[in-house]
Structures are given as C-alpha cells and as structure tokens.
Amino acid sequence: MKVNAGNLKKGDFVLYQSQIWQVQKADFYSPGKGSALMKTRIKNLLTGKNIEFTYKSNETVETIEVSSVEMQYLYKDSESLYFMDERTYNQYTVPITVVGDVSQFIKEGEKMFVYLHDEKPLSIRPPMSVRLKIIEAEDAAKGDTVSGAKKPAKLETGVTIMVPLFVKVGETVIVNPETGEYVERVKV
Amino acid sequence: MDIHINKNNIGYYSTYLTVEKAIQQYLQQNGYLKIDLPVLSPTLVPESYLEVFETEFKYLNNREKLYLTPSPELFLKRLLVSGIGNCYYLGKAFRNSDPNATLHSFEFTMLEFYKLKADYMDIAEEVLNMLRHIAAIIKKSKITYQNQTISLDKWEKISVAQAFDKYADISEAELFDKELFLKKAKIKGFRTSGYTYEDIFSQIYTQEIEVNLGMNGYPTLIYDYPKEFAALAKLNPDGKTSQRFEFYMAGVEIGDCYSELTDWQEQEKRFSEEAGKRTKSGKIEHPIDKGFIKALQYGLDDCAGIAIGFERLSMIFANVTSIDRLKLITIR
C-alpha cells in the first residue's frame, strides 16, 4: 500500500531500500521553507538496526500489510524469543535485536501479539504496560524525604530499573516496557 | 484531543519557571523592555509555510476575522519604529498544522528580542551571555543533556556552506547552483523530481546536517543561509547568502536570528511572493499586514532580533526530551 510519508505513525511497517522496517518514531516537522518533512526513526526488522530518515511529508512510501496474532511467549535464549500460536501450535522465532529492550520486561507464559507478514514473524507489539514483582531493592533510608528521589530495583525478569524510595521488595509495579520507566505501584 | 494533567512533571516544571525567571532578569538588567502583546490580530505577516488559526469577533450582526499570531514580530517591529528601543516578548505563539510532537506544539511559548544598532553576530554574543546567566541561576557551569556535556565557554560556529561540505559532502559550488544541487541530491539517493531546491535543501539539512549540530560539546551557531531562506533577513554583500543564524544544542534547534531587513520595498516584494505561495498551497487567506510595510517606510534603524523556542530551551536545562515533560497540563 502506498501512503504519504506525512501519515506515517509509530508502529507502521515500511519498505525502505527493499527491506522491511518498522517506524519507531515519526515527527512532523515544518522547517520554515520548502515542503514539510516527516522525521522518522525506523528499525530494520532483519538486523534490528535503527536509522533516522527524513521524508518529505508528501512523498509516497510503500507500507507493508501485517497481521497481529495473539501468541504465548514461551522462552528466550541468547539470540531469540520463541512464541507459540495456541490455535495452530505453530512456533515462531523473533530475534532479540529486533524486539530490543522490551524483551527484558516480558514474562514467560504471557500472551503477546506477534506481527506476521506472509506467515513470517516480523516483531512483537510491545504491551502498553507490564506488571512485574520487585525481587531486590534497598530499604529507603529514614528521613530521606527528597521528593522524586529514586533507587534501583531488580524486577523478576532480572532487569534493574529506577523506582521511588517507598517501593519495597515483594511488591508489584507497573512498568512501561518501551521506556523501562516505573509507572506506579500496584495497590494490594 | 483531550486534556491531560501531568502532576508528576512538577520538578521539570520548576526548572521551566527558573529558566523563565533567569531570562526575564537577564534581559531587563540589560536594558530590554518587556512588552505585553495581543495574541489576536486582524492582519498578519504572510509566511508561505505557516498555517494559522482563524477565529472571529462577533457583536450583534458584525463579524470580524481575527488570527492567532504565529509570531510577535509584526507588533514588535512597529514598536521599534516608534522608538521604543530594545525590547522583548515572552509569551504564547500559535502555529496550525503542526501536529504535537516531542519538539512541537501548535501552541507554544516564544521568546523574541530585538536589539538596535546590532547585527546577527551581536545577538549571538547576547544569547551566549543569556545562556550563561540561566546556567548560573540554575547553578550549573556546564549543562548535561542526555549524557552529553554542553559547555557555554563559546559557540561552535559553522557556516551553512561549511556544514554542507563537512556533513553532506556537498560543495559550496553545488550548494549555490540549484541545478547542480538537485543533481547531487539525486546521486545521494533523494527523490528530487517534482520538488524544489527549497524542498530538497530542507530535507538534506534535516537528515544530514542538523543531527550534527550542538553535538561537539558546545552550542552550535550555523550562519549565512542561502538567500532563498532569508525570510526577513538582510542579504550579505556576496548576494548569495543572508545574515541569518540558527542555534542548536544537542541536535535541537533552539533559536533563529536575523539582521533585520529594513528596506521596505524589498520587504513588500517578499510579502507578495509569500502571499502568492500561500494562495497556491491552499492555506487560510488572511489580510496582509500593510501597516507593517508602512511602519518600515517611516524607517527602521539597523537592528537584529532572535526568536527562541522557550520550551525547547527549557528542555535542555531540565534534561528532558519532550516539551510535554515541562507541562502540568497538555492538550493531546
């Protein structure tokens, strides 16, 4: 399908130099003279490499049709993430380089959407937020009342993020898997 | 669109307020008069690439079109002609058709100041001093932005021609010859057919030049744009370039400065060209500010002025990558 670059948005799949890329960021930009531009960051779905490309906003771009299928996330090894379509029992492999840091925030056994193009897996649709348990964190020092102060905390998936001082080991927090930022504590 | 409350941004917002205070303090201590201005105007300066917001004043059966000002320039230059002296505006400006993005908002805060008997390089000095003053108030001698240190000891200065040569492998001869330029762009892989010199210049500038600006440990001042990009700037004696600079910190464009065009005939010519382009591209038609030309006829002394995106500048000092992080309420 052909679209105007001005209509590109995050998550779209585009053809660029005969390869499939996913738009990570698309900012409309009016430089003051000449046609408006679309500044994009696109990720190569074979290599995981990100590049910045500036389109003219009225330039046509070839986009790729994909289907997103809900699958179970099975496990990962050093190179890939493995998923299973629970209806067909077909397994799909997505390289970690393509998924990026999001892979550090997803738990085995959880449901996740995988993008397919011609039956081949391209990437995953990162969940808006994930709930993960804190397994390691220092206790907040008494009297430390600086508002907004943070401390490192290790999540059950093994990754360490910054959380507010009041968060304790054993509590569950909501995290944005795309930015790795703490959102809030899950109230029990 | 919806209204969003972002109470968690209070810390960044407080930096935003400190930057604002520091700027007001610096400019007032240095003899600039703060000017409060209307944001609704019955006429505007025609700018071919800018879409505006149109509204209406109603009283019984009377109707009058009004426009939200995309820049305070039309008011400030009238005041300069009237003899007000060095002055500044720090307030809202509006640009339609600019979707909200990390560095854009259709409603934003602009700092614009003018200095008499000055040219663009005098303004460069003033801006650097102002940045140092802000840093001093925030108690930082160096700025750390996204793990980069930016020192305010000096500008990194580079001309547009030098930048194209250095970062895009486009020579000065190619840059100033439209035919050669488009040919070179095509070889570099840009789609050129159906596009103008201005279109492709902007695309290459954004793709290959901008990303390198303000990245070498200092803010970058990039100066002397081709005359096609002169807007309201004076031309240089070479006839090819205009006395305009932009400045960047960490790849982000922060300000745009001109030695102001004072020749009313040239200004009138540029106005009608810009208005023509607006009509052609189907933009909202608005009355052209003829009073602005009239004011110039009275005589505007040599002066220079700069427009600075206040949120973008605050972003650097607050070390955030989106203007939304500075705001307690956003419309998105």
Side-chain angles (χ1 to χ4, degrees), chain A residues 27-30 32-35 37 39 52-54 56 58-60, chain B residues 49 97-99 101-102 104 191 195 199 202-203 206-207 210 229 253 274:
Chain A
D27 275 351
F28 185 86
Y29 175 64
S30 185
K33 278 269 168 177
S35 71
L37 302 170
K39 284 170 91 162
E52 311 265 339
F53 189 74
T54 304
K56 294 172 280 283
N58 57 359
E59 193 170 341
T60 52
Chain B
Y49 56 91
S97 300
D98 248 0
T102 51
H104 275 277
R191 269 186 245 167
Y195 290 101
D199 291 336
S202 296
Q203 188 179 17
T206 307
Q207 169 75 18
E210 239 177 14
F229 298 88
E253 180 203 336
E274 292 291 304

PDB file of all heavy atoms in Angstrom, chain A residues 27-30 32-35 37 39 52-54 56 58-60, chain B residues 49 97-99 101-102 104 191 195 199 202-203 206-207 210 229 253 274:
ATOM      1  N   ASP A  27       7.898  12.199  13.510  1.00  0.00           N
ATOM      2  CA  ASP A  27       7.587  13.573  13.905  1.00  0.00           C
ATOM      3  C   ASP A  27       7.420  14.446  12.669  1.00  0.00           C
ATOM      4  O   ASP A  27       8.320  14.535  11.841  1.00  0.00           O
ATOM      5  CB  ASP A  27       8.724  14.163  14.760  1.00  0.00           C
ATOM      6  CG  ASP A  27       8.593  13.801  16.229  1.00  0.00           C
ATOM      7  OD1 ASP A  27       7.534  13.244  16.601  1.00  0.00           O
ATOM      8  OD2 ASP A  27       9.536  14.064  16.990  1.00  0.00           O
ATOM      9  N   PHE A  28       6.265  15.068  12.587  1.00  0.00           N
ATOM     10  CA  PHE A  28       6.028  16.020  11.506  1.00  0.00           C
ATOM     11  C   PHE A  28       6.860  17.260  11.803  1.00  0.00           C
ATOM     12  O   PHE A  28       6.988  17.671  12.943  1.00  0.00           O
ATOM     13  CB  PHE A  28       4.550  16.381  11.484  1.00  0.00           C
ATOM     14  CG  PHE A  28       4.144  17.260  10.353  1.00  0.00           C
ATOM     15  CD1 PHE A  28       3.811  16.710   9.118  1.00  0.00           C
ATOM     16  CD2 PHE A  28       4.078  18.636  10.513  1.00  0.00           C
ATOM     17  CE1 PHE A  28       3.420  17.529   8.070  1.00  0.00           C
ATOM     18  CE2 PHE A  28       3.694  19.454   9.463  1.00  0.00           C
ATOM     19  CZ  PHE A  28       3.361  18.893   8.248  1.00  0.00           C
ATOM     20  N   TYR A  29       7.426  17.842  10.777  1.00  0.00           N
ATOM     21  CA  TYR A  29       8.347  18.939  11.008  1.00  0.00           C
ATOM     22  C   TYR A  29       8.260  19.933   9.870  1.00  0.00           C
ATOM     23  O   TYR A  29       8.343  19.570   8.698  1.00  0.00           O
ATOM     24  CB  TYR A  29       9.756  18.354  11.110  1.00  0.00           C
ATOM     25  CG  TYR A  29      10.867  19.354  11.245  1.00  0.00           C
ATOM     26  CD1 TYR A  29      10.947  20.172  12.361  1.00  0.00           C
ATOM     27  CD2 TYR A  29      11.835  19.457  10.266  1.00  0.00           C
ATOM     28  CE1 TYR A  29      11.985  21.078  12.487  1.00  0.00           C
ATOM     29  CE2 TYR A  29      12.880  20.358  10.383  1.00  0.00           C
ATOM     30  CZ  TYR A  29      12.950  21.165  11.497  1.00  0.00           C
ATOM     31  OH  TYR A  29      13.973  22.052  11.621  1.00  0.00           O
ATOM     32  N   SER A  30       8.016  21.157  10.229  1.00  0.00           N
ATOM     33  CA  SER A  30       7.875  22.198   9.235  1.00  0.00           C
ATOM     34  C   SER A  30       9.113  23.077   9.333  1.00  0.00           C
ATOM     35  O   SER A  30       9.265  23.815  10.290  1.00  0.00           O
ATOM     36  CB  SER A  30       6.597  22.927   9.630  1.00  0.00           C
ATOM     37  OG  SER A  30       6.249  23.851   8.772  1.00  0.00           O
ATOM     38  N   GLY A  32      10.346  25.628   7.901  1.00  0.00           N
ATOM     39  CA  GLY A  32      10.414  27.061   7.690  1.00  0.00           C
ATOM     40  C   GLY A  32      10.416  27.457   6.232  1.00  0.00           C
ATOM     41  O   GLY A  32       9.997  28.520   5.886  1.00  0.00           O
ATOM     42  N   LYS A  33      10.907  26.593   5.389  1.00  0.00           N
ATOM     43  CA  LYS A  33      10.865  26.830   3.937  1.00  0.00           C
ATOM     44  C   LYS A  33      10.824  25.477   3.270  1.00  0.00           C
ATOM     45  O   LYS A  33      11.325  24.504   3.812  1.00  0.00           O
ATOM     46  CB  LYS A  33      12.112  27.582   3.445  1.00  0.00           C
ATOM     47  CG  LYS A  33      12.040  29.065   3.646  1.00  0.00           C
ATOM     48  CD  LYS A  33      11.445  29.751   2.445  1.00  0.00           C
ATOM     49  CE  LYS A  33      11.137  31.182   2.816  1.00  0.00           C
ATOM     50  NZ  LYS A  33      10.633  31.997   1.776  1.00  0.00           N
ATOM     51  N   GLY A  34      10.263  25.433   2.083  1.00  0.00           N
ATOM     52  CA  GLY A  34      10.199  24.154   1.396  1.00  0.00           C
ATOM     53  C   GLY A  34       9.104  23.303   2.001  1.00  0.00           C
ATOM     54  O   GLY A  34       8.418  23.714   2.932  1.00  0.00           O
ATOM     55  N   SER A  35       8.933  22.092   1.452  1.00  0.00           N
ATOM     56  CA  SER A  35       7.812  21.272   1.907  1.00  0.00           C
ATOM     57  C   SER A  35       8.038  20.807   3.337  1.00  0.00           C
ATOM     58  O   SER A  35       9.158  20.727   3.815  1.00  0.00           O
ATOM     59  CB  SER A  35       7.643  20.070   0.991  1.00  0.00           C
ATOM     60  OG  SER A  35       8.698  19.158   1.190  1.00  0.00           O
ATOM     61  N   LEU A  37       8.244  18.196   6.422  1.00  0.00           N
ATOM     62  CA  LEU A  37       9.002  16.948   6.456  1.00  0.00           C
ATOM     63  C   LEU A  37       8.435  16.004   7.499  1.00  0.00           C
ATOM     64  O   LEU A  37       7.700  16.411   8.388  1.00  0.00           O
ATOM     65  CB  LEU A  37      10.464  17.252   6.799  1.00  0.00           C
ATOM     66  CG  LEU A  37      11.192  18.222   5.861  1.00  0.00           C
ATOM     67  CD1 LEU A  37      12.537  18.619   6.453  1.00  0.00           C
ATOM     68  CD2 LEU A  37      11.392  17.600   4.483  1.00  0.00           C
ATOM     69  N   LYS A  39      10.140  13.453  10.056  1.00  0.00           N
ATOM     70  CA  LYS A  39      11.388  12.898  10.596  1.00  0.00           C
ATOM     71  C   LYS A  39      11.056  11.568  11.236  1.00  0.00           C
ATOM     72  O   LYS A  39      10.239  11.515  12.153  1.00  0.00           O
ATOM     73  CB  LYS A  39      11.951  13.823  11.679  1.00  0.00           C
ATOM     74  CG  LYS A  39      12.612  15.063  11.138  1.00  0.00           C
ATOM     75  CD  LYS A  39      12.926  16.026  12.261  1.00  0.00           C
ATOM     76  CE  LYS A  39      14.305  15.808  12.827  1.00  0.00           C
ATOM     77  NZ  LYS A  39      14.777  16.988  13.597  1.00  0.00           N
ATOM     78  N   GLU A  52      17.804   7.031  11.219  1.00  0.00           N
ATOM     79  CA  GLU A  52      16.908   8.178  11.136  1.00  0.00           C
ATOM     80  C   GLU A  52      16.744   8.480   9.651  1.00  0.00           C
ATOM     81  O   GLU A  52      17.731   8.540   8.925  1.00  0.00           O
ATOM     82  CB  GLU A  52      17.534   9.414  11.801  1.00  0.00           C
ATOM     83  CG  GLU A  52      18.108   9.175  13.180  1.00  0.00           C
ATOM     84  CD  GLU A  52      17.142   9.510  14.295  1.00  0.00           C
ATOM     85  OE1 GLU A  52      16.202  10.281  14.044  1.00  0.00           O
ATOM     86  OE2 GLU A  52      17.327   8.972  15.407  1.00  0.00           O
ATOM     87  N   PHE A  53      15.506   8.651   9.205  1.00  0.00           N
ATOM     88  CA  PHE A  53      15.333   9.107   7.829  1.00  0.00           C
ATOM     89  C   PHE A  53      14.273  10.191   7.782  1.00  0.00           C
ATOM     90  O   PHE A  53      13.228  10.098   8.407  1.00  0.00           O
ATOM     91  CB  PHE A  53      14.974   7.975   6.872  1.00  0.00           C
ATOM     92  CG  PHE A  53      15.030   8.441   5.430  1.00  0.00           C
ATOM     93  CD1 PHE A  53      16.254   8.661   4.815  1.00  0.00           C
ATOM     94  CD2 PHE A  53      13.868   8.744   4.737  1.00  0.00           C
ATOM     95  CE1 PHE A  53      16.317   9.156   3.514  1.00  0.00           C
ATOM     96  CE2 PHE A  53      13.932   9.234   3.429  1.00  0.00           C
ATOM     97  CZ  PHE A  53      15.147   9.436   2.821  1.00  0.00           C
ATOM     98  N   THR A  54      14.586  11.236   7.018  1.00  0.00           N
ATOM     99  CA  THR A  54      13.667  12.356   6.873  1.00  0.00           C
ATOM    100  C   THR A  54      12.987  12.276   5.516  1.00  0.00           C
ATOM    101  O   THR A  54      13.646  12.352   4.489  1.00  0.00           O
ATOM    102  CB  THR A  54      14.429  13.685   6.990  1.00  0.00           C
ATOM    103  OG1 THR A  54      15.132  13.694   8.227  1.00  0.00           O
ATOM    104  CG2 THR A  54      13.489  14.869   6.924  1.00  0.00           C
ATOM    105  N   LYS A  56      10.069  13.798   2.788  1.00  0.00           N
ATOM    106  CA  LYS A  56       9.217  14.949   2.532  1.00  0.00           C
ATOM    107  C   LYS A  56       7.801  14.470   2.870  1.00  0.00           C
ATOM    108  O   LYS A  56       7.449  13.330   2.559  1.00  0.00           O
ATOM    109  CB  LYS A  56       9.333  15.374   1.068  1.00  0.00           C
ATOM    110  CG  LYS A  56      10.727  15.899   0.732  1.00  0.00           C
ATOM    111  CD  LYS A  56      10.913  16.143  -0.759  1.00  0.00           C
ATOM    112  CE  LYS A  56      11.214  14.910  -1.555  1.00  0.00           C
ATOM    113  NZ  LYS A  56      12.587  14.402  -1.451  1.00  0.00           N
ATOM    114  N   ASN A  58       4.932  14.858   1.715  1.00  0.00           N
ATOM    115  CA  ASN A  58       4.023  14.433   0.639  1.00  0.00           C
ATOM    116  C   ASN A  58       4.651  13.371  -0.268  1.00  0.00           C
ATOM    117  O   ASN A  58       4.126  13.046  -1.317  1.00  0.00           O
ATOM    118  CB  ASN A  58       3.568  15.647  -0.176  1.00  0.00           C
ATOM    119  CG  ASN A  58       4.734  16.413  -0.764  1.00  0.00           C
ATOM    120  OD1 ASN A  58       5.899  16.053  -0.552  1.00  0.00           O
ATOM    121  ND2 ASN A  58       4.442  17.467  -1.507  1.00  0.00           N
ATOM    122  N   GLU A  59       5.759  12.833   0.150  1.00  0.00           N
ATOM    123  CA  GLU A  59       6.434  11.781  -0.606  1.00  0.00           C
ATOM    124  C   GLU A  59       5.682  10.457  -0.366  1.00  0.00           C
ATOM    125  O   GLU A  59       5.233  10.194   0.741  1.00  0.00           O
ATOM    126  CB  GLU A  59       7.853  11.682  -0.031  1.00  0.00           C
ATOM    127  CG  GLU A  59       8.835  10.897  -0.826  1.00  0.00           C
ATOM    128  CD  GLU A  59      10.264  11.101  -0.270  1.00  0.00           C
ATOM    129  OE1 GLU A  59      10.515  12.092   0.459  1.00  0.00           O
ATOM    130  OE2 GLU A  59      11.103  10.269  -0.558  1.00  0.00           O
ATOM    131  N   THR A  60       5.565   9.618  -1.396  1.00  0.00           N
ATOM    132  CA  THR A  60       4.850   8.352  -1.154  1.00  0.00           C
ATOM    133  C   THR A  60       5.807   7.306  -0.614  1.00  0.00           C
ATOM    134  O   THR A  60       6.957   7.213  -1.015  1.00  0.00           O
ATOM    135  CB  THR A  60       4.190   7.799  -2.430  1.00  0.00           C
ATOM    136  OG1 THR A  60       5.172   7.745  -3.447  1.00  0.00           O
ATOM    137  CG2 THR A  60       3.025   8.635  -2.863  1.00  0.00           C
TER     138      THR A  60
ATOM    139  N   TYR B  49       4.916  29.055   4.483  1.00  0.00           N
ATOM    140  CA  TYR B  49       4.991  27.708   5.023  1.00  0.00           C
ATOM    141  C   TYR B  49       4.216  27.535   6.323  1.00  0.00           C
ATOM    142  O   TYR B  49       4.143  26.447   6.866  1.00  0.00           O
ATOM    143  CB  TYR B  49       6.455  27.348   5.261  1.00  0.00           C
ATOM    144  CG  TYR B  49       7.142  28.344   6.166  1.00  0.00           C
ATOM    145  CD1 TYR B  49       7.151  28.132   7.547  1.00  0.00           C
ATOM    146  CD2 TYR B  49       7.723  29.502   5.663  1.00  0.00           C
ATOM    147  CE1 TYR B  49       7.734  29.056   8.379  1.00  0.00           C
ATOM    148  CE2 TYR B  49       8.306  30.433   6.501  1.00  0.00           C
ATOM    149  CZ  TYR B  49       8.301  30.203   7.855  1.00  0.00           C
ATOM    150  OH  TYR B  49       8.859  31.125   8.691  1.00  0.00           O
ATOM    151  N   SER B  97      -1.518  23.307  11.926  1.00  0.00           N
ATOM    152  CA  SER B  97      -0.992  22.226  11.069  1.00  0.00           C
ATOM    153  C   SER B  97       0.364  21.716  11.524  1.00  0.00           C
ATOM    154  O   SER B  97       1.084  21.125  10.736  1.00  0.00           O
ATOM    155  CB  SER B  97      -0.875  22.673   9.595  1.00  0.00           C
ATOM    156  OG  SER B  97      -2.125  23.040   9.109  1.00  0.00           O
ATOM    157  N   ASP B  98       0.725  21.972  12.748  1.00  0.00           N
ATOM    158  CA  ASP B  98       1.957  21.425  13.303  1.00  0.00           C
ATOM    159  C   ASP B  98       1.539  20.410  14.364  1.00  0.00           C
ATOM    160  O   ASP B  98       1.276  20.792  15.498  1.00  0.00           O
ATOM    161  CB  ASP B  98       2.776  22.544  13.983  1.00  0.00           C
ATOM    162  CG  ASP B  98       4.056  22.848  13.238  1.00  0.00           C
ATOM    163  OD1 ASP B  98       4.302  22.198  12.206  1.00  0.00           O
ATOM    164  OD2 ASP B  98       4.807  23.723  13.693  1.00  0.00           O
ATOM    165  N   PRO B  99       1.411  19.151  13.990  1.00  0.00           N
ATOM    166  CA  PRO B  99       0.914  18.199  14.982  1.00  0.00           C
ATOM    167  C   PRO B  99       1.827  18.168  16.199  1.00  0.00           C
ATOM    168  O   PRO B  99       3.022  18.429  16.094  1.00  0.00           O
ATOM    169  CB  PRO B  99       0.976  16.851  14.261  1.00  0.00           C
ATOM    170  CG  PRO B  99       1.176  17.150  12.833  1.00  0.00           C
ATOM    171  CD  PRO B  99       1.806  18.499  12.737  1.00  0.00           C
ATOM    172  N   ALA B 101       4.284  16.989  18.800  1.00  0.00           N
ATOM    173  CA  ALA B 101       5.358  16.006  18.747  1.00  0.00           C
ATOM    174  C   ALA B 101       6.299  16.342  19.885  1.00  0.00           C
ATOM    175  O   ALA B 101       6.034  17.269  20.658  1.00  0.00           O
ATOM    176  CB  ALA B 101       6.062  16.078  17.394  1.00  0.00           C
ATOM    177  N   THR B 102       7.401  15.597  19.970  1.00  0.00           N
ATOM    178  CA  THR B 102       8.283  15.827  21.107  1.00  0.00           C
ATOM    179  C   THR B 102       8.813  17.267  21.127  1.00  0.00           C
ATOM    180  O   THR B 102       9.014  17.839  22.191  1.00  0.00           O
ATOM    181  CB  THR B 102       9.474  14.854  21.099  1.00  0.00           C
ATOM    182  OG1 THR B 102      10.073  14.912  19.815  1.00  0.00           O
ATOM    183  CG2 THR B 102       9.028  13.440  21.386  1.00  0.00           C
ATOM    184  N   HIS B 104       7.378  19.835  19.214  1.00  0.00           N
ATOM    185  CA  HIS B 104       6.388  20.742  18.626  1.00  0.00           C
ATOM    186  C   HIS B 104       5.104  20.777  19.402  1.00  0.00           C
ATOM    187  O   HIS B 104       4.652  19.766  19.907  1.00  0.00           O
ATOM    188  CB  HIS B 104       5.993  20.247  17.229  1.00  0.00           C
ATOM    189  CG  HIS B 104       6.892  20.695  16.162  1.00  0.00           C
ATOM    190  ND1 HIS B 104       6.789  21.915  15.571  1.00  0.00           N
ATOM    191  CD2 HIS B 104       7.920  20.085  15.580  1.00  0.00           C
ATOM    192  CE1 HIS B 104       7.731  22.032  14.673  1.00  0.00           C
ATOM    193  NE2 HIS B 104       8.441  20.934  14.656  1.00  0.00           N
ATOM    194  N   ARG B 191      14.737  11.671  -3.538  1.00  0.00           N
ATOM    195  CA  ARG B 191      13.807  11.836  -4.654  1.00  0.00           C
ATOM    196  C   ARG B 191      13.668  13.316  -4.957  1.00  0.00           C
ATOM    197  O   ARG B 191      13.217  14.082  -4.109  1.00  0.00           O
ATOM    198  CB  ARG B 191      12.440  11.272  -4.277  1.00  0.00           C
ATOM    199  CG  ARG B 191      12.303   9.815  -4.670  1.00  0.00           C
ATOM    200  CD  ARG B 191      10.890   9.367  -4.415  1.00  0.00           C
ATOM    201  NE  ARG B 191      10.879   8.358  -3.388  1.00  0.00           N
ATOM    202  CZ  ARG B 191       9.781   7.947  -2.767  1.00  0.00           C
ATOM    203  NH1 ARG B 191       8.614   8.480  -3.079  1.00  0.00           N
ATOM    204  NH2 ARG B 191       9.840   7.010  -1.849  1.00  0.00           N
ATOM    205  N   TYR B 195      10.177  18.264  -6.981  1.00  0.00           N
ATOM    206  CA  TYR B 195      10.470  19.043  -5.769  1.00  0.00           C
ATOM    207  C   TYR B 195      11.379  20.225  -6.079  1.00  0.00           C
ATOM    208  O   TYR B 195      12.173  20.187  -7.025  1.00  0.00           O
ATOM    209  CB  TYR B 195      11.113  18.149  -4.710  1.00  0.00           C
ATOM    210  CG  TYR B 195      10.125  17.152  -4.139  1.00  0.00           C
ATOM    211  CD1 TYR B 195      10.130  15.831  -4.563  1.00  0.00           C
ATOM    212  CD2 TYR B 195       9.175  17.565  -3.216  1.00  0.00           C
ATOM    213  CE1 TYR B 195       9.195  14.929  -4.060  1.00  0.00           C
ATOM    214  CE2 TYR B 195       8.245  16.679  -2.712  1.00  0.00           C
ATOM    215  CZ  TYR B 195       8.260  15.361  -3.127  1.00  0.00           C
ATOM    216  OH  TYR B 195       7.345  14.476  -2.636  1.00  0.00           O
ATOM    217  N   ASP B 199      12.747  22.545  -1.080  1.00  0.00           N
ATOM    218  CA  ASP B 199      12.295  21.263  -0.507  1.00  0.00           C
ATOM    219  C   ASP B 199      13.479  20.359  -0.199  1.00  0.00           C
ATOM    220  O   ASP B 199      13.589  19.794   0.886  1.00  0.00           O
ATOM    221  CB  ASP B 199      11.406  20.495  -1.509  1.00  0.00           C
ATOM    222  CG  ASP B 199      10.062  21.168  -1.743  1.00  0.00           C
ATOM    223  OD1 ASP B 199       9.619  21.924  -0.862  1.00  0.00           O
ATOM    224  OD2 ASP B 199       9.460  20.921  -2.808  1.00  0.00           O
ATOM    225  N   SER B 202      15.917  21.576   2.509  1.00  0.00           N
ATOM    226  CA  SER B 202      15.386  21.330   3.857  1.00  0.00           C
ATOM    227  C   SER B 202      15.511  19.869   4.246  1.00  0.00           C
ATOM    228  O   SER B 202      15.809  19.543   5.390  1.00  0.00           O
ATOM    229  CB  SER B 202      13.914  21.740   3.941  1.00  0.00           C
ATOM    230  OG  SER B 202      13.799  23.111   3.744  1.00  0.00           O
ATOM    231  N   GLN B 203      15.259  18.980   3.273  1.00  0.00           N
ATOM    232  CA  GLN B 203      15.328  17.549   3.571  1.00  0.00           C
ATOM    233  C   GLN B 203      16.761  17.144   3.935  1.00  0.00           C
ATOM    234  O   GLN B 203      16.987  16.470   4.935  1.00  0.00           O
ATOM    235  CB  GLN B 203      14.831  16.725   2.369  1.00  0.00           C
ATOM    236  CG  GLN B 203      14.692  15.251   2.701  1.00  0.00           C
ATOM    237  CD  GLN B 203      14.181  14.426   1.534  1.00  0.00           C
ATOM    238  OE1 GLN B 203      14.208  14.864   0.384  1.00  0.00           O
ATOM    239  NE2 GLN B 203      13.719  13.213   1.828  1.00  0.00           N
ATOM    240  N   THR B 206      17.861  18.636   7.281  1.00  0.00           N
ATOM    241  CA  THR B 206      17.291  17.923   8.432  1.00  0.00           C
ATOM    242  C   THR B 206      17.918  16.546   8.600  1.00  0.00           C
ATOM    243  O   THR B 206      18.230  16.113   9.705  1.00  0.00           O
ATOM    244  CB  THR B 206      15.768  17.777   8.251  1.00  0.00           C
ATOM    245  OG1 THR B 206      15.230  19.074   7.993  1.00  0.00           O
ATOM    246  CG2 THR B 206      15.110  17.207   9.478  1.00  0.00           C
ATOM    247  N   GLN B 207      18.101  15.862   7.476  1.00  0.00           N
ATOM    248  CA  GLN B 207      18.608  14.489   7.526  1.00  0.00           C
ATOM    249  C   GLN B 207      20.102  14.421   7.867  1.00  0.00           C
ATOM    250  O   GLN B 207      20.527  13.585   8.631  1.00  0.00           O
ATOM    251  CB  GLN B 207      18.336  13.825   6.162  1.00  0.00           C
ATOM    252  CG  GLN B 207      19.022  12.490   5.930  1.00  0.00           C
ATOM    253  CD  GLN B 207      18.352  11.353   6.694  1.00  0.00           C
ATOM    254  OE1 GLN B 207      17.222  11.456   7.127  1.00  0.00           O
ATOM    255  NE2 GLN B 207      19.076  10.257   6.873  1.00  0.00           N
ATOM    256  N   GLU B 210      21.533  18.822  10.567  1.00  0.00           N
ATOM    257  CA  GLU B 210      21.005  19.124  11.900  1.00  0.00           C
ATOM    258  C   GLU B 210      21.465  18.162  12.999  1.00  0.00           C
ATOM    259  O   GLU B 210      21.757  18.587  14.113  1.00  0.00           O
ATOM    260  CB  GLU B 210      19.478  19.084  11.838  1.00  0.00           C
ATOM    261  CG  GLU B 210      18.869  20.372  12.241  1.00  0.00           C
ATOM    262  CD  GLU B 210      17.356  20.371  12.111  1.00  0.00           C
ATOM    263  OE1 GLU B 210      16.720  19.316  11.949  1.00  0.00           O
ATOM    264  OE2 GLU B 210      16.809  21.471  12.186  1.00  0.00           O
ATOM    265  N   PHE B 229      16.398  31.333   1.778  1.00  0.00           N
ATOM    266  CA  PHE B 229      15.950  31.115   3.158  1.00  0.00           C
ATOM    267  C   PHE B 229      16.092  32.380   3.996  1.00  0.00           C
ATOM    268  O   PHE B 229      16.179  32.329   5.212  1.00  0.00           O
ATOM    269  CB  PHE B 229      16.740  29.950   3.783  1.00  0.00           C
ATOM    270  CG  PHE B 229      16.505  28.665   3.037  1.00  0.00           C
ATOM    271  CD1 PHE B 229      17.292  28.327   1.947  1.00  0.00           C
ATOM    272  CD2 PHE B 229      15.467  27.831   3.406  1.00  0.00           C
ATOM    273  CE1 PHE B 229      17.044  27.165   1.235  1.00  0.00           C
ATOM    274  CE2 PHE B 229      15.209  26.670   2.694  1.00  0.00           C
ATOM    275  CZ  PHE B 229      16.000  26.332   1.614  1.00  0.00           C
ATOM    276  N   GLU B 253      17.106  22.415  17.406  1.00  0.00           N
ATOM    277  CA  GLU B 253      17.103  23.817  17.007  1.00  0.00           C
ATOM    278  C   GLU B 253      16.418  24.628  18.099  1.00  0.00           C
ATOM    279  O   GLU B 253      15.298  24.340  18.493  1.00  0.00           O
ATOM    280  CB  GLU B 253      16.336  23.971  15.687  1.00  0.00           C
ATOM    281  CG  GLU B 253      16.280  25.404  15.215  1.00  0.00           C
ATOM    282  CD  GLU B 253      15.105  25.674  14.283  1.00  0.00           C
ATOM    283  OE1 GLU B 253      14.598  24.738  13.649  1.00  0.00           O
ATOM    284  OE2 GLU B 253      14.687  26.837  14.215  1.00  0.00           O
ATOM    285  N   GLU B 274       5.340  35.669  -0.820  1.00  0.00           N
ATOM    286  CA  GLU B 274       4.893  34.727   0.212  1.00  0.00           C
ATOM    287  C   GLU B 274       3.375  34.558   0.165  1.00  0.00           C
ATOM    288  O   GLU B 274       2.870  33.444   0.272  1.00  0.00           O
ATOM    289  CB  GLU B 274       5.316  35.215   1.607  1.00  0.00           C
ATOM    290  CG  GLU B 274       6.809  35.194   1.853  1.00  0.00           C
ATOM    291  CD  GLU B 274       7.376  33.777   1.942  1.00  0.00           C
ATOM    292  OE1 GLU B 274       6.901  32.996   2.778  1.00  0.00           O
ATOM    293  OE2 GLU B 274       8.281  33.456   1.148  1.00  0.00           O
TER     294      GLU B 274
END
